[in-house]
Every structure is written in C-alpha cells, then in structure tokens.
Amino acid sequence: MSRVRDRTEDYKESVRVAALSHGYTESQLAALMSSFIIRKPSPKSPFTNAAIKTLESIRELEKFIVKHRKDYVDMHRTTEQERDTIEHEVGVFVKACKEQIDILKNRIHEDERNRRAKTWLGTSDENSRLDLIAHQHGVVLILSERLHSVTAQFDRFRSMRFQEAINRAMPRKKIKKRPETKLSETPKSSLVLQSDVSKIGDQEVSTAPLRVQEQLLDDETRALQMELTNLLDTVQETETKMIEMSALNHLMSTHVLQQAQQIQYLYDQAMEATNNVERGNKELSQAIQRNSSSRTFLLLFFFVLTFSVLFLDWYKN
C-alpha cells in the first residue's frame, strides 16, 4: 500500500503565490484567508431589521421614562407645563412603536397570503415557511408585551401625578364652604352698613361723606375678592376633573390596546389551528387511501396464495 502524503501546505503556498502574482498584497491576502476561516454572517431579512429597529425604539422609550421619572413624579422639580411636555413625548414614542408593530403584523399577513396562494404548486419547504411565520408571530407578540410593560410603568407614574393633583384639590373643596357662608353674611352686613350709612347721612350730611364712600368701596372690594376666589376654586376643580378624565381615557385606551393584542393573538392561534385541522384531514384521507389499497393487496395476496395451494395440490396428485 502506497504511503499517503499531506499536500495541504503545498496547496496553500501555491494559492498564495498565485494571489501575489495577480496583484494581491500581503494584507489583502491575510484578509482573504481570514474571510475563509471566519465567515461573514448571513444578511438579515427585512422583517428582522424592522423588528430590531422596533426593539431599539422601545428601549429608547424605556430609557426616556427612567431618565425623566423624578422630574415627572416630583411636583417640586418641574412645572405642570414641563410634565405635560414629557407626557406628550412619551405619547409620540408609544404611537411610533405601535405603528412599527402594526407594520410588522401586516407584513406577516401578506407573507401568509402569498404562501397560501402558492400552496397549489406543492413546494417542499412548506413546513419551514410555517415555522418561520410562527416565529414572526412570536416576535411580534414579544414586542407588543415589551411595549405594554413600558407603557404600564408610565401609567403608574401618571396615576401618582393625578393622585397628587387630587390630594391638592381636596383641601380646597373643604375650605370652599366657608367663603359661601361669608358671602351669605356679606349682603346682610352690607345692607346693615348701607342702612347705617343712610341714617348717618340723614343726621350728619355735612360732616362724614368721605367716610361713607370709603366704607362702601371697601365692602364692594371684599365682595369682588370673594367672588374671584370662588371663581378660582371652581376653575381649579374643573381642571382637576379634566385631568382625571384624561387619565381614565388613557388607561382605557391602554386596556383596549391590550385586548386588541390578545384578540389578534387568539385569531392567529385560531388560524394556526385551522391549518393544523386541514393538514390532519389530508393525512386522514391519505391514511384511508393507504388502508383501502392495503386491504385490496391483502385480498389479492390471499386469493393468489389459495390458488397456488390448490394448483400445487392438483399438480401433486
């Protein structure tokens, strides 16, 4: 038996000489050889790139919420306008992430419709396509749950802010009853003062006209001040109610979004179950056909066997 010789090093040396003769430098040759050893990763699909972009957006949203958490929760650090600005930016972030997730869902449905349109061709990679679509549905579900967890965290901060606003508004509601009693008493006192002033005016017209006018102006100023105070309390109470309504509206929209995601997930599960039932029906029909063909084969086999035995018996006799 002849002895085997390893010519791998000779082959590498000949390749290196040929590359140098074609104008390759040592650095280019080293890069080429390293590319053979360490292969470049395969290019990612558009769905994967879009999913990674959506995940990065959700992470940026989470970082933004964590960064401005103290500014949003603590009432002594920022003003109400700055809080509204933070809330608006978070809403824009959430809307953008939701649109990206919807784009991913629409892309999955388009791929699934195209796959169903091509099933009559009998492609061999149907199972791999089903696994890919199931994987894409799982990616979309994970992104939706991640976005929901981030929005739920901001909803807790929002509820804390609204609870602070309600707590600040509650003492004003309790104090509000006192000015009403004072207002109910001021007309009586003003009437008494006016009657006294009229009496004093009848008795001492020439001695104290300026004092009466000053008293009347003071009474009117107090009444106007109390009226403005009540009006301010009413406006603040209305503002608190509007804040509560907006909080409830946002919480309701969050729950509706969560229910929509659950309904979409149930719909996808139902479609997958329908596909499994269809495949099961096909397998059953094929099994029935195989059973009928095997039964025919067995009958034919027993018939031929019986005929052979009879023939051999007749031949022997």
Side-chain angles (χ1 to χ4, degrees), residues 159-170:
S159 63
M160 292 170 63
R161 176 192 174 186
F162 294 149
Q163 189 64 37
E164 279 186 10
I166 293 170
N167 293 333
R168 290 199 308 268
M170 287 299 292

Side-chain angles (χ1 to χ4, degrees), residues 127-146:
N127 293 327
S128 63
R129 292 292 302 171
L130 288 174
D131 294 337
L132 179 60
I133 291 174
H135 170 70
Q136 291 176 352
H137 279 295
V139 170
V140 171
L141 181 62
I142 291 171
L143 291 175
S144 300
E145 290 178 352
R146 182 69 180 275

Side-chain angles (χ1 to χ4, degrees), residues 104-117:
L104 293 176
K105 288 181 181 178
N106 295 330
R107 185 174 296 176
I108 292 172
H109 293 320
E110 289 178 0
D111 293 341
E112 193 170 359
R113 283 196 295 268
N114 294 331
R115 183 189 62 81
R116 290 177 183 174

